[in-house]
Amino acid sequence: MSRIPPVPTEGRFAVLAGSAPEGAPLDGWGALMAAAQQGNGGAYRRLLMELNEWLTGFYARRLPGPAIEDAVQDTLISIHEKRHTYDPQRPFKPWAAAIARYKWIDRLRAMRRQATEPLPEDIAVDDHEASVASAVALRSLLQRLSPGQEEAIRLVKLDGLSVREASRQSGQSESLVKVNIHRGLARLARLVQGEFDED
Amino acid sequence: MKTDQLVDELVTDLEPVRTRSLAGDARLLALLIAVEFGLYWLLGSGHDHMGEAMVSMPSFLWKLGSLAMLAAVSVVVALRSLDPTRSPHRGLGAIAALVALILLVGWVVDATTLHTAQPFWQRLEIADGVQCMLAIILLSIPPIVTLGWLMRRAAPTDLRGSALSIGIASAALGSFLFVFACPHSDPFYVMIWFMLSGAIVALVGRVMLPLINRW
């Protein structure tokens, strides 16, 4: 799971690995990321796939089962967006682990915020059953998304903001807002489909 | 979406990037401070008797040296904290110790060189002090915007710590620039008004930057 691949010995990776100053801690993943920073898609794909395995193990020890895949995906997106902050002269794994830990803490905070609270029984209500039921169902579905997905969908699809406005308001980059909407809607569709199947 | 699909999207989205470096960030900030200092000086905000003040007033040298040191240390702490693997906590501790040392030296300079019988409230020069405070806050805006932008571009993993260190660094840079225009060198005046301005800028940084730099 957490093995560090050997430094590639062929092609462009080997050049990159070989170009590091003597004694520089350029490990296998570091060499792959250095190649990715130059735009090498093959190296990047290999790195992300190996990171996927490593991150799954990392979060499996720290998060409940349903949250693991989301956490892995969030972290991969963050690594993608922050890849320019990796210094190829330094070891890769502490850099990736710091980002994984940051996203883990972020997720724990979000889970704490989403803790349910019992409603008082004496709330006065008119008969808005259908709209209330829809709102509750929607809220319940949105809560099952990651905080980033939930926020992106709420801002763009429910509040009607543009991607740029949503990006500014949420602090997510525009590309992350788009990815979160895409992934969130796909997940919502699966959730709704699952509930239909159960019915 | 399956993770494999996400990986496909990320690989498709891949473009070459220029890696961030602490030296590059420091150069950008130094350039900004040089430009800000030049503009501020050209606008006629310089101290009229700078040479005389530097030679004859130990309290001026204390003010200049202290703020230069505080600015240098806090900028290094702030920029280093933008690395995901580094925590600003030790750096913030060092800044706190440096501020305590600066205040102690200021008190010694005050006690040994200024033999004034004026009460403290008169030494505060409230009208001038408020102007100084506003000027320092205004001079801190370019550094806090620049450092905030660098924070957004980087990957800090302790948002609050980084935000606080950026607030302190911006306040220290603004105060350092204002040293060359400030007509007062009374250590008591400097300690109160410069500290107050710095606290406001640091607080704004600490509160605002984590909100706009979540990632």
Side-chain angles (χ1 to χ4, degrees), chain B residues 22-192:
Chain B
L22 194 141
D25 288 356
R27 275 196 297 272
L28 178 69
L29 195 62
L31 180 69
L32 170 94
I33 296 305
V35 170
E36 192 182 2
F37 179 74
L39 287 175
Y40 193 57
W41 196 269
L42 282 175
L43 288 172
S45 303
H47 194 311
D48 292 338
H49 307 289
M50 183 62 63
E52 188 187 328
M54 290 180 80
V55 174
S56 62
M57 297 173 72
S59 57
F60 176 81
L61 293 177
W62 161 76
K63 183 170 69 166
L64 183 67
S66 300
L67 288 170
M69 228 174 349
L70 185 60
V73 170
S74 56
V75 163
V76 169
V77 171
L79 290 179
R80 281 172 62 96
S81 80
L82 301 185
D83 183 315
T85 61
R86 289 191 167 129
S87 162
H89 287 170
R90 282 179 61 188
L92 287 170
I95 289 173
L98 182 59
V99 169
L101 180 68
I102 287 170
L103 293 179
L104 182 67
V105 174
W107 177 74
V108 171
V109 170
D110 186 51
T112 54
T113 62
L114 289 181
H115 303 288
T116 175
Q118 276 187 312
F120 280 145
W121 64 269
Q122 277 185 359
R123 291 173 66 187
L124 270 182
E125 305 269 4
I126 291 177
D128 280 3
V130 171
Q131 280 188 10
C132 284
M133 192 171 72
L134 291 176
I136 290 172
I137 291 172
L138 283 176
L139 287 167
S140 303
I141 292 174
I144 204 169
V145 169
T146 306
L147 284 164
W149 177 76
L150 290 174
M151 181 180 177
R152 187 167 183 77
R153 198 174 170 270
T157 46
D158 181 348
L159 290 184
R160 293 171 184 176
S162 291
L164 180 59
S165 55
I166 284 177
I168 294 171
S170 306
L173 287 168
S175 304
F176 175 71
L177 291 178
F178 187 66
V179 164
F180 300 98
C182 179
H184 296 277
S185 287
D186 178 346
F188 180 69
Y189 175 96
V190 171
M191 281 191 266
I192 296 296

Side-chain angles (χ1 to χ4, degrees), chain A residues 36-41 44-45 48-49 52 69 73 76 78 80 82-86 90 94-95 98 102-103 171 182-183 190, chain B residues 1-4 6-11 13-20 83-86 152-157 159 214-215:
Chain A
Q37 286 173 334
Q38 312 273 329
N40 188 314
Y44 196 42
R45 179 181 299 281
L48 292 179
M49 294 308 286
N52 176 25
E69 191 177 5
Q73 293 190 4
L76 289 176
S78 295
H80 175 73
K82 300 293 182 183
R83 64 190 185 280
H84 63 278
T85 67
Y86 169 65
R90 294 172 56 198
W95 178 85
Y102 172 74
K103 300 308 286 185
H182 180 73
R183 287 172 46 208
R190 282 202 307 274
Chain B
M1 184 194 281
K2 291 285 179 197
T3 304
D4 289 355
L6 174 68
V7 168
D8 286 341
E9 284 192 17
L10 297 179
V11 172
D13 190 42
L14 182 68
E15 285 175 8
V17 288
R18 238 178 92 186
T19 54
R20 169 190 178 264
D83 183 315
T85 61
R86 289 191 167 129
R152 187 167 183 77
R153 198 174 170 270
T157 46
L159 290 184
R214 274 182 59 206
W215 58 280

Side-chain angles (χ1 to χ4, degrees), chain A residues 73-114:
Chain A
Q73 293 190 4
D74 268 356
T75 308
L76 289 176
I77 290 171
S78 295
I79 285 174
H80 175 73
E81 297 205 316
K82 300 293 182 183
R83 64 190 185 280
H84 63 278
T85 67
Y86 169 65
D87 177 358
Q89 305 306 316
R90 294 172 56 198
F92 179 83
K93 202 167 177 184
W95 178 85
I99 292 178
R101 186 173 173 277
Y102 172 74
K103 300 308 286 185
W104 170 55
I105 292 170
D106 205 32
R107 189 156 288 270
L108 290 181
R109 286 199 184 113
M111 287 165 73
R112 197 177 57 187
R113 278 198 301 272
Q114 287 177 354

